[in-house]
């Protein structure tokens, strides 16, 4: 009897254990448009309330998946595939009575921002590549908290940040910075100031567009789009942090968000104080028919400034088909500058005959306000969506300088000059976009209209001090007000088509530009309205799930704007004056590239060939008059043709280690019918190597080395090497983040260049105090609702 009881208990225990582990979840993954199966989609199963997947399986060739041997309980499931938005199913409950859940057909919605995107790191990708775009996911970097947009961009592959904080895409002469798909250069007179105060905590990702699609403005050969965070977990969350560096730079920032089922509100504030020091040496040889003489210039500069960034965003799901997004952004900057310049005049025998000393003190202030409103509505059940947007920006800046100039020997009178520049820039932008599938297949069409209005006023007042009367006297020749107005009307259409292993995208954008500007002195300039057409095309094909070949083509424009058109003379350095050229023509660029991508589980390699040809190239042009005064302006210097080879790679020798590198080699040829001195050919070289590691004890390391040099119409930038490394450790259950970062530990950043014309040759050496050690602390607080464990907002089965 006892033996029978024991056997009965064993049988019952075995059956109970089997019953508890016999749970099954199954389903089929298809595309929303066309209902075609999605093979190799990643299906991740989570225990409710957790963030790490319990198990991950792929779908088969028919899009089917089945997960078995599951215990009773509550689960959530996430389906993801390259080129589609992730789909999350929540509240999947397995019980003894209902141990099998058939989820049926799960439909993935195409993500139209990418075309057959390649994920380098499948678990939590740092870098993603597509046919015409590279995406850098900020949250995967140890700089994701406690730094700025400028710090982030220095670590993004294919992006170069110069010593003044200006960012550009490797191989692109004209790069524009966008924020959430909208131009930021209209928001501020100095983009570097904006990037230096925009906190990384508020950034979701950085998109590097080498061939921007037709929905974006036709300006610029490439676009760096900074995408701000919008999707937050349900509940209350946020963070606060601070950093301090040995060079005296400090920053504090805080962000908070609250999200309910139908609305969310988030905002943040940041403050940053910076000290920049740099030196500049310039050696110029001036040679004329009857004489040769030299100018040796030595400058040292110190700039200290602080600034703040304040943001508020409101997102409201009015209904399941309607959404309203409203955001405001305010930036302010104050900079104080002092510099000394020492100019040595040497005759043809290299004997110094005079010395000019100039001391300058200055202050620059600015503030920017931006208001955005976007409304989206689903127009039908097939995926159609209508979007309307409105943007207003207002930017005000003031730049004041006081220059005191003396001469040795004192055979020339000392000079005291005050320069005051007031700049206002405001504008309005309206857009209307519509997109939907056409034939209920793997296709998609996008249509849009846009109108931009900009108004810029630059009021320049130059006063010279009269030592006899003890009063300042207005310099009528240099004082003037520049008034600029611009209207752009645009329309575009894009058609996307995807097959099982291929994808194609074609677009056409047209822009009508109207520009008027004049000077208060009475000079008036009229540019006849002109129509520009920008076709674009990209196609790629996947082979055997590990090879991809792609090609893209686009036409872009570089419009002359106020900075290059403004004829006001800047004589901060009387021997090196500069001004704009009101007679500039638009520069047009045709660019194309072909890439071959091969990737495995641990590595990827992407070689790419690129070709571009430019007409009416706009560049700074320099010449020297008979007195030795250098004048720099902008001009259409001629045409430019460039061939480039890009090598991009990623290797993960271990799941905790990731390396990436990109190199580019190009040859550029300038031709000018106006000036044979501008006919030149030269090579450009750029490179970057990066390493990131997840280490024991919740620590991480990241670092990179960057190098670039390039040719211009009148010379060459001989190259610059920058390095950065950082380490991070988390405490208190991942709530406290401590980071130490070191920039340029092997010496100050330096840059040298050569510039030459018909009657001069100039060598320039520039250094900056980029060597720094920074300590950052960031604390994250979160109170997340348990009803919806995994973002984005889930869909009930």
């Amino acid at each position: 009897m006892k033996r029978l009881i024991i056997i009965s208990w064993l049988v019952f225990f075995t059956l109970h254990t089997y019953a508890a582990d016999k749970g099954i979840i199954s389903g089929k993954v298809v595309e929303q448009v066309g209902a075609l199966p999605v093979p190799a989609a990643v299906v991740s199963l989570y225990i409710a309330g957790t963030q790490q997947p319990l198990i991950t399986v792929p779908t088969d060739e028919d899009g089917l998946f089945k997960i078995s041997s599951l215990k009773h309980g509550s689960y959530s499931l996430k389906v993801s595939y390259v080129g589609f938005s992730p789909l999350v199913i929540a509240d999947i409950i397995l019980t003894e009575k209902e141990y099998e859940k058939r989820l049926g057909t799960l439909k993935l919605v195409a993500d139209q921002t990418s075309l057959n995107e390649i994920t380098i790191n499948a678990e939590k990708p740092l870098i993603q590549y597509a046919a015409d775009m590279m995406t850098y996911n900020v949250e995967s970097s140890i700089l994701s908290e406690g730094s700025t947009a400028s710090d982030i961009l220095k670590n993004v592959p294919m992006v170069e940040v110069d010593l003044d904080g200006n960012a550009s895409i490797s191989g692109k002469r004209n790069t524009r910075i966008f924020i959430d798909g909208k131009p930021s250069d209209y928001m501020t007179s100095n983009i570097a100031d904006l990037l230096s105060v925009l906190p990384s905590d508020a950034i979701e990702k950085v998109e590097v567009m080498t061939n921007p699609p037709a929905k974006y403005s036709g300006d610029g050969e490439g676009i760096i789009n900074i995408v701000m965070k919008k999707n937050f977990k349900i509940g209350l969350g946020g963070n606060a942090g601070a950093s301090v560096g040995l060079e005296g730079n400090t920053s504090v920032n805080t962000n908070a968000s609250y999200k309910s089922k139908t609305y969310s509100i988030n905002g943040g504030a940041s403050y940053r104080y910076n000290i920049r020091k740099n030196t500049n040496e310039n050696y110029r040889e001036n040679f004329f028919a009857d004489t040769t003489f030299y100018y040796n210039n030595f400058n040292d500069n110190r700039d200290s400034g602080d600034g703040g960034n304040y943001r508020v965003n409101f997102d409201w799901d009015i209904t399941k088909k309607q959404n309203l997004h409203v955001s405001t952004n305010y930036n302010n900057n104050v900079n104080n500058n002092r510099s000394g310049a020492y100019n040595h005049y040497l005759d043809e025998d290299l004997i110094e005959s005079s010395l000019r000393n100039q001391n300058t003190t200055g202050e620059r202030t600015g503030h920017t306000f931006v208001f955005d409103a976007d409304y989206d509505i689903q127009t039908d059940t097939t995926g159609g969506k209508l979007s309307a947007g409105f943007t207003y920006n207002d930017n005000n800046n003031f730049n004041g300088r006081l220059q005191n100039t003396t001469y040795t020997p004192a055979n020339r009178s000392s000079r005291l000059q005050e320069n005051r520049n007031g700049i206002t820039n405001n504008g309005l932008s309206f857009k209307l976009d519509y997109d939907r599938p056409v034939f209920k297949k793997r296709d998609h069409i996008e249509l849009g209209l846009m109108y931009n209005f900009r108004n810029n006023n630059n009021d320049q007042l130059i006063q010279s001090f009269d030592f006899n009367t003890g009063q300042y006297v207005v310099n009528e020749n240099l004082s003037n007000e520049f008034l600029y107005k611009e209207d752009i009307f645009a329309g575009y259409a894009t058609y996307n088509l995807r097959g099982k292993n291929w994808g194609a995208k074609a677009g056409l954008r047209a822009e009508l530009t109207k520009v008027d500007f004049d000077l208060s002195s009475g000079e008036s300039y009229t540019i006849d309205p002109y129509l520009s057409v920008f076709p674009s095309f990209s196609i790629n094909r996947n082979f055997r799930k590990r090879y991809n070949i792609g090609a893209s083509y686009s036409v872009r424009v570089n419009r002359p704007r106020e900075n290059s058109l403004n004829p006001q003379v800047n004589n901060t350095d009387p021997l090196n004056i500069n001004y704009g050229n009101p007679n500039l023509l638009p520069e047009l660029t045709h660019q194309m590239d072909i890439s071959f991508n091969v990737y495995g589980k641990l590595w990827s390699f992407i070689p790419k060939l690129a070709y571009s040809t430019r007409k009416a190239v706009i560049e700074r042009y320099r010449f020297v008059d008979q007195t030795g005064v250098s004048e720099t302006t902008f001009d259409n210097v001629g045409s430019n043709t460039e061939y480039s080879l890009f090598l991009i790679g990623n290797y993960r020798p271990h799941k905790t280690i990731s390396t990436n590198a990109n190199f580019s080699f190009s040859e550029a040829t300038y031709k000018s019918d106006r000036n044979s001195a501008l006919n030149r050919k030269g090579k450009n070289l750029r490179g970057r190597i990066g390493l990131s590691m997840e280490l024991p004890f919740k620590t991480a390391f990241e670092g990179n080395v960057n190098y670039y040099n390039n040719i211009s119409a009148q010379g060459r930038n001989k190259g610059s090497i920058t390095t950065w490394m950082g380490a991070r450790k988390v405490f208190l259950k991942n709530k406290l983040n401590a980071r130490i970062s070191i920039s340029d530990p092997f010496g100050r950043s330096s840059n040298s260049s050569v510039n030459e014309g018909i009657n001069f040759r100039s060598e320039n050496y520039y250094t900056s105090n980029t060597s720094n050690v920074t300590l950052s602390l960031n604390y994250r607080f979160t109170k997340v609702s348990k009803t919806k464990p995994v973002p984005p907002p889930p869909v009930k089965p």
Side-chain angles (χ1 to χ4, degrees):
M1 184 68 178
K2 183 182 293 185
R3 181 178 300 176
L4 181 62
I5 294 174
I6 293 174
I7 293 174
S8 299
W9 271 105
L10 288 174
V11 172
F12 174 79
F13 179 78
T14 302
L15 292 174
H16 179 77
T17 302
Y18 171 77
D21 291 340
K22 71 175 183 178
I24 299 172
I25 298 176
S26 61
K28 182 178 182 180
V29 180
V30 301
E31 295 186 20
Q32 182 189 49
V33 179
L36 294 173
V38 181
V42 178
V43 180
S44 302
L45 185 69
Y46 298 77
I47 297 175
T50 65
Q51 299 297 319
Q52 296 297 324
L54 176 67
I55 188 173
T56 299
V57 299
T59 56
D60 63 18
E61 293 184 356
D62 297 319
L64 298 171
F65 70 90
K66 183 177 181 180
I67 304 174
S68 56
S69 301
L70 298 174
K71 295 182 179 180
H72 301 156
S74 181
Y75 298 90
S76 63
L77 183 138
K78 180 178 180 181
V79 183
S80 57
Y81 188 70
V82 173
F84 292 82
S85 299
L87 174 68
V88 175
I89 310 297
D91 300 333
I92 305 174
I93 301 175
L94 299 179
T95 64
E96 186 174 353
K97 294 182 178 180
E98 192 176 5
Y99 59 87
E100 183 175 1
K101 275 285 187 180
R102 297 180 180 179
L103 301 180
T105 301
L106 306 179
K107 297 180 179 181
L108 292 183
V109 179
D111 180 0
Q112 297 302 319
T113 62
S114 64
L115 182 64
N116 289 338
E117 193 173 71
I118 300 167
T119 300
I120 301 302
N121 176 353
E123 189 173 38
K124 193 173 183 182
L126 176 65
I127 303 166
Q128 296 171 287
Y129 289 100
D132 52 7
M133 183 171 66
M134 187 276 294
T135 301
Y136 182 87
N137 295 304
V138 175
E139 286 190 346
S140 298
S141 168
I142 70 173
L143 283 170
S144 61
E145 295 176 343
S147 58
T148 66
S150 182
D151 299 325
I152 291 293
L153 290 175
K154 292 176 182 177
N155 291 271
V156 176
M158 299 180 65
V159 173
E160 300 168 3
V161 180
D162 65 19
L163 301 185
D164 294 320
N166 300 303
S168 62
I169 300 175
S170 297
K172 303 294 183 182
R173 297 173 55 260
N174 181 24
T175 300
R176 300 189 69 194
I177 307 296
F178 279 44
I179 296 179
D180 282 337
K182 299 174 183 178
S184 67
D185 44 0
Y186 298 161
M187 303 177 187
T188 177
S189 62
N190 190 338
I191 297 177
D193 285 343
L194 173 64
L195 299 177
S196 70
V197 296
L198 191 65
S200 60
D201 311 68
I203 301 174
E204 177 183 343
K205 59 185 177 180
V206 177
E207 297 173 335
V208 181
M209 304 180 190
T210 53
N211 271 314
K215 70 180 297 182
Y216 290 95
S217 168
D219 276 295
E221 296 172 21
I223 292 174
I224 299 175
N225 184 34
I226 300 174
V227 181
M228 310 299 288
K229 289 180 181 177
K230 299 179 184 66
N231 297 320
F232 297 89
K233 296 180 177 69
I234 290 182
L236 176 66
N239 63 278
S243 66
V244 60
L246 295 182
E247 283 290 332
N249 55 307
T250 58
S251 68
V252 293
N253 69 86
T254 182
N255 297 278
S257 66
Y258 176 78
K259 183 174 183 179
S260 70
K261 293 182 178 180
T262 59
Y263 73 91
S264 66
I265 184 170
N266 67 82
S270 63
Y271 167 83
R272 187 172 179 88
Y273 175 79
N274 280 327
I275 296 178
R276 295 190 62 220
K277 303 174 185 176
N278 56 67
T279 62
N280 188 68
E281 300 178 22
N282 183 271
Y283 304 92
R284 174 153 56 93
E285 179 182 9
N286 310 279
F287 37 90
F288 298 92
D290 55 345
T291 184
T292 298
F293 57 95
Y294 306 85
Y295 280 131
N296 293 344
N297 257 320
F298 302 90
N299 298 270
D300 60 79
N301 180 76
R302 184 186 189 277
D303 187 282
S304 61
D306 60 350
N309 174 267
Y310 313 93
R311 309 167 312 282
V312 177
N313 303 284
F314 177 74
D315 200 272
W316 179 29
D317 292 326
I318 305 171
T319 66
K320 291 183 178 180
K321 296 183 178 181
Q322 299 181 76
N323 175 268
L324 175 66
H325 177 78
V326 177
S327 66
T328 61
N329 192 88
Y330 179 80
N331 299 294
N332 70 287
N333 289 278
V334 178
N335 290 79
N336 292 284
N337 173 276
R338 67 173 184 266
S339 63
Y342 315 94
N343 181 268
H344 302 263
Y345 175 87
L346 291 78
D347 62 20
E348 58 185 349
D349 296 321
L350 297 178
I351 299 175
E352 181 174 318
S353 59
S354 67
L355 169 65
R356 177 178 64 88
N357 295 330
Q358 179 174 293
N359 294 310
T360 303
T361 58
E363 181 183 53
R364 179 165 54 88
T365 61
H367 67 266
T368 301
F369 174 76
V370 181
F371 175 83
D372 277 310
D374 294 283
Y375 173 76
D376 300 328
I377 182 171
Q378 293 182 7
T379 58
D380 52 59
T381 58
T382 63
K385 186 176 73 171
L386 180 67
S387 303
F390 164 79
T391 301
Y392 169 77
N393 70 276
D394 182 79
N395 174 252
N396 289 272
N397 290 272
F398 172 79
N399 190 1
R401 296 186 301 274
L402 184 64
Q403 300 170 341
N404 185 11
T405 307
T406 60
Y407 299 89
T408 303
N411 54 359
R412 297 180 60 183
S413 300
S414 299
R415 188 186 70 158
L416 187 61
Q417 178 176 293
E418 183 183 51
N419 297 9
R420 300 167 64 90
N421 281 81
I423 303 172
T424 61
N425 182 9
N426 52 66
L428 294 171
S429 176
F430 300 91
K431 69 171 186 175
L432 187 67
D433 299 302
Y434 177 71
D435 60 88
R436 62 157 294 168
V438 182
F439 302 112
K440 294 187 178 181
K441 297 180 180 180
R442 297 187 175 191
D443 71 341
H444 201 84
I445 190 170
E446 296 176 278
L447 305 171
L449 297 172
M450 181 175 290
Y451 168 68
N452 287 313
F453 166 75
R454 293 185 56 238
N455 180 55
N456 178 279
N457 291 347
N458 187 329
D459 190 1
Q460 177 174 281
L461 176 65
I462 308 296
Q463 299 184 103
S464 300
F465 187 76
D466 189 329
F467 290 93
N468 295 323
T469 62
Q471 294 180 338
Y472 280 100
V473 179
V474 175
N475 186 327
E476 299 292 348
N477 293 326
L478 298 179
S479 299
N480 223 321
E481 186 175 7
F482 176 74
L483 309 171
Y484 176 92
K485 292 183 179 180
E486 176 187 89
D487 296 89
I488 298 179
F489 304 85
Y492 77 90
T494 300
Y495 182 71
N496 303 321
L497 180 64
R498 286 191 312 278
K500 184 175 182 180
N501 294 306
W502 60 272
K505 180 193 299 183
L508 184 67
R509 184 181 183 91
E511 295 183 348
L512 179 65
T513 305
K514 180 179 179 294
V515 173
D516 297 299
F517 60 95
D518 54 42
L519 297 173
S520 59
S521 60
E523 299 174 61
S524 181
Y525 303 88
T526 301
I527 298 178
D528 294 333
Y530 57 92
L531 179 67
S532 304
V533 179
F534 309 105
S536 62
F537 176 77
S538 64
I539 186 171
N540 63 35
R541 176 77 160 84
N542 290 325
F543 300 92
R544 299 180 182 179
K545 297 183 181 180
R546 60 177 300 179
Y547 303 104
N548 175 278
I549 186 170
S552 62
Y553 165 80
S554 67
V555 177
R556 309 292 296 171
V557 70
N558 178 16
R559 289 184 178 87
R561 285 199 162 92
E562 60 269 28
N563 291 333
S564 56
L565 294 170
N566 186 354
Q568 292 174 330
V569 175
N570 181 348
N571 73 334
T572 301
D573 182 350
L575 294 177
N576 297 277
I577 65 175
N578 58 79
Y579 47 87
N581 179 2
N583 299 311
L584 288 174
L585 301 174
E587 170 189 331
L588 203 64
T589 300
H590 294 257
Q591 55 189 22
M592 61 191 74
D593 54 55
I594 299 175
S595 62
F596 178 75
N597 312 333
V598 54
Y599 49 98
K601 292 182 179 180
L602 302 177
W603 57 274
S604 69
F605 179 58
I606 307 174
K608 182 167 72 170
L609 292 172
Y611 168 79
S612 67
T613 178
R614 307 174 179 91
K615 300 291 181 64
V617 175
I618 299 175
E619 279 197 14
R620 291 185 179 272
Y621 178 72
R622 188 178 186 181
F623 59 93
V624 176
D625 65 19
Q626 292 291 329
T627 65
V629 174
S630 167
E631 299 187 27
T632 302
T633 186
F634 292 87
D635 205 349
N636 297 109
V637 297
S639 64
N640 173 276
T641 301
E642 188 165 350
Y643 299 88
S644 303
L645 170 64
F646 293 85
L647 302 174
I648 304 168
N650 176 274
Y651 177 56
R652 293 180 58 85
H654 188 269
K655 66 179 182 179
T656 61
I657 301 175
S658 176
T659 63
N660 61 81
N662 63 88
F663 300 92
S664 67
F665 311 87
S666 63
E667 181 175 80
T669 302
Y670 284 89
K671 291 184 178 180
S672 176
D673 297 330
R674 297 173 52 188
N675 188 344
S676 60
L678 298 178
N679 294 335
R680 64 171 63 236
K681 179 185 292 186
K683 294 178 173 58
N684 304 317
L685 173 63
R686 303 172 181 89
R688 179 187 185 277
I689 299 176
L691 168 70
S692 61
M693 304 172 61
E694 291 289 337
L695 302 173
F697 309 109
K698 296 184 178 181
T699 59
F701 170 85
E702 189 175 337
N704 61 64
V705 179
N706 296 270
Y707 171 80
Y708 71 92
N709 72 49
N710 59 277
I711 188 176
S712 65
Q714 281 192 297
R716 167 174 289 281
N717 185 324
K718 288 190 174 181
S720 178
I721 298 177
T722 59
T723 55
W724 178 87
M725 61 185 69
R728 177 190 65 191
K729 181 172 174 55
V730 293
F731 305 88
L732 303 178
K733 297 181 179 180
N734 298 335
K735 291 183 177 180
L736 180 64
N737 177 332
R739 187 187 78 241
I740 184 169
S741 59
I742 305 173
S743 58
D744 294 319
F746 307 110
R748 293 160 60 99
S749 292
S750 62
N751 180 289
S752 63
S753 60
V754 176
N755 195 255
E756 54 189 349
I758 297 176
N759 58 0
F760 76 93
R761 187 178 190 277
S762 176
E763 296 183 14
N764 194 76
Y765 303 90
Y766 182 89
T767 63
S768 180
N769 68 323
T770 54
S771 299
N772 197 13
V773 179
T774 303
L775 174 65
S776 302
L777 294 174
N778 195 281
Y779 181 78
R780 182 187 304 133
F781 58 91
T782 308
K783 186 178 181 181
V784 180
S785 170
K786 296 183 179 180
T787 59
K788 297 181 184 292
V790 182
V795 178
K796 294 287 184 179

